[in-house]
Structures are given as C-alpha cells and as structure tokens.
Amino acid sequence: MTGVLTIVGLGPGDARHRTPAATEAIADAEAVYGYSAYIDACDDILRPDQFVVRGRMTEEKLRAEQAVDAAAGGRRVVLVSSGDAGVYGMATLALSNAYEIEETARPEVRVLPGVTAALAASALVGAPLAHDFACLTLSDLLTPWEEVERRLRAVAEADLAIALYNPRSKGRPWQLDRAREVLLERRAPTTPVALVADIARDGQRVELTTLADLDCGKVGMTTTVLVGSSTTRRFGDWLVTPRSGSGRSAG
Amino acid sequence: MTGVLTIVGLGPGDARHRTPAATEAIADAEAVYGYSAYIDACDDILRPDQFVVRGRMTEEKLRAEQAVDAAAGGRRVVLVSSGDAGVYGMATLALSNAYEIEETARPEVRVLPGVTAALAASALVGAPLAHDFACLTLSDLLTPWEEVERRLRAVAEADLAIALYNPRSKGRPWQLDRAREVLLERRAPTTPVALVADIARDGQRVELTTLADLDCGKVGMTTTVLVGSSTTRRFGDWLVTPRSGSGRSAG
C-alpha cells in the first residue's frame, strides 16, 4: 500500500501566517521532513510519536528523495518548506522524484500553498505589489547570470513591480549591485525600494529606500527586496502601487 | 482617539487557507467591511455584536472610504479581501484613502498577507511557479489593452511562468484569446496551461491543457490561468517547473 506525501509551505516566520491546512497536515503526519530551521518553525505541532528528520541546508535533494520514499513505503509524510513550497521551495524536487517511481507504487502527492516572502514583505510596507508584479531570484547557482540579467531587463521594461528572492549572500556578494545597475537603466533613481528581513521572526527589519540610495551591503540572506513600478508611491511609511497599471497610460 | 484599520486577505475559498493572523484580526474587530461574498467567507468568525457591512461588487471605493473613516473615528476595523489584500485587492484603495487624512487624525493601518490565487492554483496542479514568475491581470478596465499586451510580450520574452488574473468575463470576452495569441508568438504551442476555477470552494475545477489547445470559452471570472515557462513539464496530473531557470541555459 502506498502512502501520501503532503508538501507544505509554512509561511514566513512564526505560526501566525501558517494556514490551518498546513497545520492539520503536519499534525496528521507520521513522518515530517524539513530543513532544521523549518522543523523548528513547526515545533509547536510536532509530537514525540512522529518520525522527524531535521535536514541540512545543502541536502534538499536527499531530503526530497527520503520523503518520497517514506510515502511510497506507505506512510503519511509531510515535507515542509518556509513560505510557499511551490515558490523556490521543495515542491519541484519532490514531485520530480515521485514521478520517477512506477505509477503503481507512486504515493499520492498533495501540495498546500503558503504565504510566500514576497506577499509577507509587501504587507509589511503597504501594497507595493498591488498591480502586476514578478518574483525573480538573483541566485545564479542554477541559472547563468546573463539569463538572470535578461529577465531583470524584461521585467523592468514591462514596468512590473518586482520581488527579489535570494538577493545576496556571502558567496554571492555582487549580484544585487549589478541588478540595481540593470534596473536603473530602465527605472527612475527615485523608484521606491523596500528591504524586509527576518519576516515574522525576532529581529524583523523594514527599511524603505530608493533604487538610487539602495545600499546593497545592508542586504543579507534573509532579506526580501521589493522594487516598485513607475507608479509606486511612498506615502509616509507605506509603499502603494495603484491598480491602474503603468504610469505611461495614467491619465 | 484614532482607531486601527487592518486590511486582511482571507486566502481562497474556505477557511483552510486563511491565516491565524487574519482570523484573529477579524475576531478582534468592532466593525468588518467587505464585499458580501467575502463577508460570507469569514462568517464562521463573525459575531452579532460586530458591525458588519456587506458591500457590493462595484463599490470598492466607497467601502475603502467607509472602513478608513470608521477607523479614524476610533474603532478597530477590518477590511476583508479574498486571496491577498495587497494583490489586486483592497489594500491600495484603503491606504491611499488613509493617507489623505491629516496625520494627527489618521488611523493606524496594518496589512495582513494571504494566500493569493496564483499560489493556491499552482499548488493544486503541482509546482508550475517554482522558479521566476509574474502575476498579470488581463483586465483593461483601468489599464489600456496595448499596455497589457506590452507586459505580456515582455514577460513571455523573459520566459517567466505566468499567473493570469481576471482572464475573462462577460464584459471582457476577447482579451484572453488575444493574450493567447501574443503568448504563442514567443512560447511553444505545447507550453503547459492550467485552468483552476473556484479554488477551495464547492465546484472547484482543475483542467490541464496547452497554449495551442486552450479553449478560452471554458474560462470565467473565477478562473485563474497558469501558463508555464519553456522549462515547465507535465508529469501526469502535475505541472512542474524546475528550479534551474530558463531552458536556454539548461545543460
């Protein structure tokens, strides 16, 4: 008999932004797999009778395989990601692994949505993503940098608001500076920018700035960077994008 | 004394995808404003002692004003949207209204994030938005159609996965057909497409197709349309986008 694998997004930080569906799935699981920090984030639900695997940062592939195998073996398994598991999360790896299993032995797989960092960061500063927007990662570990730059250019050209994931880390120190240059080719220096770090966790930080004044040195691994469109305005401590599309057509 | 306005996204459909933060804010409110269908969606929390305003579809502006005024008058007020209030939701209108009030009389405003339709639809079909993606609306009520088309072209050119909001209604019957044509200029006819309607509600429907085979007549006001990137693959009933970026650079 095959089991069920539920791939769960915990939302950002604490349990306030975790959906009841995610909480139920974890409570109902026989085995829970996740990166150790995400296991900590659902510690309030876990019980001693559950088989819990606290994984390491670099072992996503192994973790996805283990979770799929456990479900194929007949268990009710949950694999947790932060934010939304389907946005730069674990869902792709796990679904790809599950599909490699012969159909008769393949576990049932479900994905539960969550509040991804772009939405959580946006809410903290108002409504910068209120009209069309894109989520882009600046990580060039799996994608050549020229491809990342091409996407930035296209999205800037289309005048979308942008949420940048993985903007900067010790191993990727220059990418955000370069992204800022690329965006400045097509966006005004006064374009509002928000840096939101450690969302819904101790030490949560919000800083509003502009493309011209953006100090990339302040940005770390747990920061989400939001860049306004040409219509995004700063009202005091809020960033607001009107729902009427591009500034080119405002009238 | 000024009050507090909390702008809340309920997530899609039923309460399973509504965050505890949203539920708490509604339970704690003295007054709750929202479009009638969204008031229904949080009926399980509402109490007879709360002042509840069930608004009409076309009266978003009035509703935002009323909610802001009630908060400025000293009440704890919640304004509800479906999905995420900051994504094509009520947050922009309410924040803009609040900012027009003199600072000393302005209520405190908070925005709580929610599971937006793109994420909920994506989870139901696997992980099509797992790498870079854009949310675009096809509504040309507030944005000229040529601007919508320009954005579609740029996003297709950048090879992002796409979630299309407001794809089609009685009053906007041709826009999705035209969007399909624009996307087919830059995406393969075999590009996977998902139609997801009435998410987490009675009658939820999921249909997988391709850009070539997309029958726009099947799409209605409550449908979210997901369009894959060049790397999105169909595995049985799942759509999966790898986390390695564009097909141009896969190797």
Side-chain angles (χ1 to χ4, degrees):
Chain A
M1 204 201 75
T2 57
V4 180
L5 172 63
T6 308
I7 307 164
V8 167
L10 297 173
D14 65 31
R16 294 181 66 235
H17 301 299
R18 190 176 67 208
T19 68
T23 298
E24 276 165 37
I26 295 165
D28 187 50
E30 294 168 284
V32 181
Y33 291 76
Y35 168 52
S36 58
Y38 307 152
I39 296 290
D40 289 344
C42 55
D43 196 40
D44 57 310
I45 318 171
L46 298 174
R47 297 182 312 270
D49 65 293
Q50 291 175 312
F51 179 73
V52 176
V53 178
R54 298 170 162 272
R56 293 189 206 173
M57 180 72 92
T58 53
E59 294 177 347
E60 283 85 4
K61 218 164 170 178
L62 175 69
R63 195 146 67 241
E65 279 169 22
Q66 288 174 334
V68 169
D69 287 350
R75 291 197 193 181
R76 285 193 310 281
V77 178
V78 160
L79 176 62
V80 295
S81 275
S82 73
D84 182 293
V87 178
Y88 311 113
M90 293 292 291
T92 285
L93 282 173
L95 288 165
S96 303
N97 276 325
Y99 191 71
E100 285 168 16
I101 296 176
E102 209 178 321
E103 199 170 349
T104 52
R106 194 179 298 156
E108 185 189 332
V109 183
R110 300 183 303 160
V111 184
L112 295 178
V115 173
T116 188
L119 303 185
S122 174
L124 285 172
V125 297
L129 306 183
H131 197 64
D132 299 339
F133 70 96
C135 293
L136 300 178
T137 175
L138 292 189
S139 172
D140 55 351
L141 297 178
L142 296 172
T143 309
W145 178 256
E146 56 266 37
E147 174 63 21
V148 177
E149 244 186 71
R150 197 173 69 79
R151 289 175 175 212
L152 277 167
R153 274 206 186 81
V155 164
E157 177 64 29
D159 200 19
L160 306 187
I162 308 170
L164 296 174
Y165 285 68
N166 310 306
R168 195 164 181 275
S169 67
K170 275 187 187 168
R172 294 181 298 101
W174 56 264
Q175 284 81 347
L176 180 60
D177 292 274
R178 180 62 193 140
R180 176 177 163 275
E181 289 172 9
V182 170
L183 292 172
L184 275 170
E185 292 165 14
R186 286 171 170 80
R187 294 267 164 106
T190 54
T191 301
V193 169
L195 310 180
V196 187
D198 293 312
I199 301 169
R201 278 179 259 163
D202 290 339
Q204 172 181 295
R205 299 179 303 287
V206 174
E207 185 177 332
L208 300 187
T209 180
T210 63
L211 262 187
D213 291 337
L214 169 59
D215 176 357
C216 297
K218 289 185 176 173
V219 173
M221 273 187 62
T222 61
T223 309
T224 302
V225 178
L226 304 176
V227 181
S229 73
S230 69
T231 61
T232 305
R233 293 291 169 265
R234 180 164 173 178
F235 294 159
D237 290 337
W238 303 324
L239 299 186
V240 178
T241 302
R243 293 187 50 192
S244 51
S246 165
R248 301 189 189 195
S249 55
Chain B
M1 203 200 75
T2 57
V4 181
L5 172 63
T6 307
I7 307 164
V8 166
L10 297 174
D14 65 31
R16 292 181 67 233
H17 301 300
R18 190 176 66 208
T19 68
T23 298
E24 276 163 39
I26 296 165
D28 186 50
E30 295 167 284
V32 181
Y33 291 76
Y35 169 51
S36 58
Y38 306 153
I39 295 289
D40 289 343
C42 55
D43 196 41
D44 57 310
I45 318 170
L46 298 173
R47 297 182 312 272
D49 65 292
Q50 292 175 311
F51 180 73
V52 176
V53 178
R54 300 172 160 271
R56 294 188 205 173
M57 180 71 93
T58 52
E59 294 176 349
E60 284 85 4
K61 219 166 170 177
L62 174 70
R63 195 147 66 241
E65 280 170 19
Q66 289 174 333
V68 169
D69 287 349
R75 291 197 192 180
R76 285 193 309 282
V77 178
V78 160
L79 176 62
V80 295
S81 273
S82 73
D84 182 293
V87 178
Y88 311 113
M90 292 294 289
T92 285
L93 282 173
L95 287 165
S96 303
N97 276 325
Y99 192 71
E100 285 169 17
I101 296 176
E102 209 179 322
E103 200 171 347
T104 52
R106 195 180 297 156
E108 185 188 333
V109 183
R110 301 182 304 160
V111 183
L112 295 178
V115 173
T116 188
L119 303 184
S122 174
L124 284 172
V125 298
L129 306 183
H131 196 65
D132 301 338
F133 70 95
C135 292
L136 300 178
T137 175
L138 292 189
S139 172
D140 55 350
L141 297 178
L142 297 172
T143 308
W145 178 255
E146 56 266 38
E147 175 63 22
V148 176
E149 244 186 71
R150 197 173 69 78
R151 291 175 174 212
L152 277 167
R153 273 203 186 83
V155 165
E157 177 63 29
D159 200 19
L160 306 188
I162 308 169
L164 296 174
Y165 284 68
N166 309 306
R168 193 163 182 274
S169 66
K170 274 187 186 169
R172 294 182 298 100
W174 56 264
Q175 285 81 347
L176 180 60
D177 292 274
R178 179 63 193 140
R180 176 177 163 274
E181 288 172 10
V182 170
L183 292 173
L184 275 169
E185 290 165 16
R186 287 169 171 78
R187 294 267 164 105
T190 54
T191 301
V193 170
L195 311 181
V196 187
D198 294 312
I199 301 170
R201 278 179 260 163
D202 289 340
Q204 173 180 295
R205 299 179 302 288
V206 174
E207 185 175 332
L208 300 186
T209 181
T210 62
L211 262 187
D213 291 338
L214 169 59
D215 177 357
C216 298
K218 290 185 176 175
V219 173
M221 272 187 64
T222 61
T223 309
T224 302
V225 178
L226 304 176
V227 181
S229 74
S230 69
T231 61
T232 305
R233 294 289 168 266
R234 180 163 173 178
F235 294 158
D237 290 337
W238 303 323
L239 299 186
V240 178
T241 302
R243 292 187 51 192
S244 51
S246 166
R248 301 188 190 195
S249 55

